Amino acid sequence: MYIPQHKLAIEVDGPTHFDLNGEVPLGRTLMKRRHLRALGFNVVSVSYREWAAASTVRVAPTAPPTESSQSSEEKESVGEGEEERGRVRAQQEELLRRKLQEALREGDSEAEEGGRRK
């Protein structure tokens, strides 16, 4: 995803971006990040593991039954599922917020260092 007004690239890295243990980014992924940074982009990378950890509650998406076919227990269950999905979304949003703040801080410190070198 690209956000032009902040020159920000957000990349969600799946398992193919990492070694067999799923922990160390592969060379091509690191090279892509370096190229983007060299072009002046702020790069935020979110690994599939981080995303999964932020999605601790898994609720299978289902079409809600019609009002007339639902018992009161079923209605409560559907409401709970929606609450769980809301909590997962909030966890994912918080992860992205933290990652964005880190990237912006890194960009600010790199800009300051670049100014001192000149």
Side-chain angles (χ1 to χ4, degrees):
M1 177 188 306
Y2 176 57
I3 303 172
Q5 62 268 33
H6 297 286
K7 214 166 181 193
L8 177 67
I10 301 172
E11 178 183 39
V12 180
D13 294 327
T16 60
H17 290 263
F18 298 91
D19 67 357
L20 293 176
N21 294 324
E23 296 173 7
V24 179
L26 297 176
R28 64 177 184 253
T29 297
L30 295 173
M31 181 64 75
K32 178 174 50 173
R33 292 176 191 169
R34 280 194 297 270
H35 285 162
L36 287 169
R37 286 188 179 107
L39 291 169
F41 292 94
N42 292 308
V43 179
V44 174
S45 297
V46 180
S47 77
Y48 71 101
R49 286 183 169 204
E50 290 173 302
W51 193 254
S55 308
T56 54
V57 180
R58 302 249 181 220
V59 178
T62 57
T66 62
E67 280 288 322
S68 61
S69 68
Q70 286 182 311
S71 70
S72 61
E73 288 177 14
E74 289 172 328
K75 288 178 186 176
E76 284 180 28
S77 171
V78 169
E80 289 172 10
E82 290 171 10
E83 286 178 23
E84 293 299 316
R85 282 189 287 275
R87 281 193 282 272
V88 167
R89 183 179 178 101
Q91 289 173 325
Q92 292 168 337
E93 289 172 355
E94 179 58 28
L95 170 65
L96 288 176
R97 195 174 295 113
R98 277 194 326 266
K99 291 287 210 171
L100 290 170
Q101 289 170 345
E102 289 171 17
L104 292 174
R105 272 194 301 271
E106 287 174 12
D108 289 345
S109 65
E110 287 174 8
E112 286 175 15
E113 286 181 26
R116 281 187 234 147
R117 282 187 224 143
K118 291 180 180 180

